[in-house]
């Protein structure tokens, strides 16, 4: 997905700047330490090690979803008290996974199937809800990046409600991030997110 922003230095000089908006969306998470995975795990501050595993869910595995995975894989590589790497697991779902999954695996040969699990399933399907019910009690980090903003917010709201239902009001270490594709929807989506945050 690309956004084209023409920049005019004078009437005869038109420049076209190509911006990979999927990369920029994830860069916003990288630039703000508040959104880093380390805030979603239990830490032994005396040793600087991590005591709990990290588990993520990516809904939509196009450019933004894949950038989000790279970010999480890098920033959620923690050391346990025994000196070993803590468990990292990421579930990625996409209705087009049967087409893109092979290319994804080929581009990330070092990533094991225990670290990145790919699912070719639709939102709201039986398989989707089975995955959610199996993982919602363990999930730390959710990134929703599907092109329909309304569907994204509905999915976020349903996950939020399911998390409260399963985990009670203790949502420490659980984050949901939604990419807004249409700038006109940003305020409405932000207001809805704020209401969800205030209610927890």
């Amino acid at each position: 997905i690309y956004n084209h922003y023409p920049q005019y230095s004078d009437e005869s000089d038109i420049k076209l700047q190509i911006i990979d908006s999927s990369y920029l969306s994830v860069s916003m998470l990288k630039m703000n330490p508040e959104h880093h995975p380390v805030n979603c795990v239990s830490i032994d501050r005396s040793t600087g090690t991590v005591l709990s595993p990290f588990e993520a869910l990516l809904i939509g595995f196009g450019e933004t979803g894949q950038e989000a995975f790279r970010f999480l894989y890098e920033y959620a590589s923690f050391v346990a008290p025994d000196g070993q790497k803590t468990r990292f697991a990421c579930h990625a779902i996409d209705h087009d996974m049967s087409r893109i999954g092979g290319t994804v695996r080929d581009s990330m040969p070092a990533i094991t199937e225990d670290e990145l699990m790919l699912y070719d399933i639709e939102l709201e399907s039986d398989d989707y809800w089975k995955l959610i019910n199996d993982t919602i009690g363990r999930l730390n980090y959710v990134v929703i990046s599907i092109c329909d903003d309304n569907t994204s917010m509905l999915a976020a709201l349903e996950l939020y409600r399911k998390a409260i239902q399963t985990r009670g009001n203790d949502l420490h270490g659980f984050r949901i991030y939604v990419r807004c594709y249409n700038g006109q929807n940003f305020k409405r989506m932000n207001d809805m997110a704020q209401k969800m945050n205030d209610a927890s």
Side-chain angles (χ1 to χ4, degrees):
I1 298 169
Y2 295 93
N3 290 336
H4 300 261
Y5 296 99
Q7 296 180 335
Y8 304 89
S9 56
D10 59 51
E11 290 184 2
S12 61
D13 183 17
I14 299 176
K15 296 181 181 178
L16 181 66
Q17 182 177 1
I18 309 298
I19 297 178
D20 182 345
S21 56
S22 61
Y23 177 79
L24 289 179
S25 297
V26 176
S27 291
M28 292 178 64
L29 299 178
K30 291 182 181 179
M31 289 186 294
N32 190 338
E34 178 186 344
H35 305 305
H36 289 183
V38 71
N39 298 303
C40 302
V41 291
S42 299
I43 301 171
D44 182 341
R45 299 195 180 277
S46 65
T47 61
T49 57
V50 170
L51 304 173
S52 59
F54 181 85
E55 194 160 350
L57 170 67
L58 306 178
I59 299 177
F61 206 54
E63 291 179 357
T64 302
Q66 291 175 42
E67 283 293 338
F69 172 76
R70 292 183 185 98
F71 157 62
L72 294 175
Y73 188 75
E74 178 183 355
Y75 281 67
S77 292
F78 304 124
V79 177
D82 62 2
Q84 300 297 310
K85 183 179 175 183
T86 58
R87 179 176 179 267
F88 172 92
C90 181
H91 308 270
I93 72 169
D94 196 289
H95 66 89
D96 207 19
M97 194 66 82
S98 61
R99 184 182 64 83
I100 65 175
T103 303
V104 168
R105 287 274 181 223
D106 186 64
S107 68
M108 305 177 186
I111 308 300
T112 69
E113 292 188 12
D114 291 334
E115 294 171 318
L116 176 60
M117 290 148 278
L118 304 179
Y119 303 85
D120 187 355
I121 56 179
E122 299 275 352
L123 275 177
E124 306 298 342
S125 67
D126 288 342
D127 288 337
Y128 171 78
W129 282 112
K130 182 179 185 308
L131 175 63
I132 297 306
N133 287 322
D134 287 347
T135 60
I136 193 68
R138 305 187 308 268
L139 287 176
N140 303 106
Y141 212 98
V142 178
V143 177
I144 302 173
S145 58
I146 53 181
C147 292
D148 186 314
D149 289 343
N150 290 328
T151 303
S152 293
M153 281 308 295
L154 179 60
L157 183 59
E158 289 175 338
L159 284 173
Y160 171 80
R161 288 174 174 163
K162 177 64 75 171
I164 289 179
Q165 186 181 69
T166 305
R167 301 159 71 142
N169 287 325
D170 182 14
L171 296 180
H172 174 73
F174 179 67
R175 308 281 181 92
I176 301 175
Y177 295 92
V178 179
R179 179 175 176 195
C180 176
Y181 282 83
N182 185 339
Q184 294 179 342
N185 294 329
F186 182 79
K187 184 180 185 311
R188 177 174 60 86
M189 293 172 72
N190 197 51
D191 289 346
M192 187 179 298
Q194 190 60 53
K195 289 178 182 177
M196 290 164 62
N197 292 334
D198 291 343
S200 62

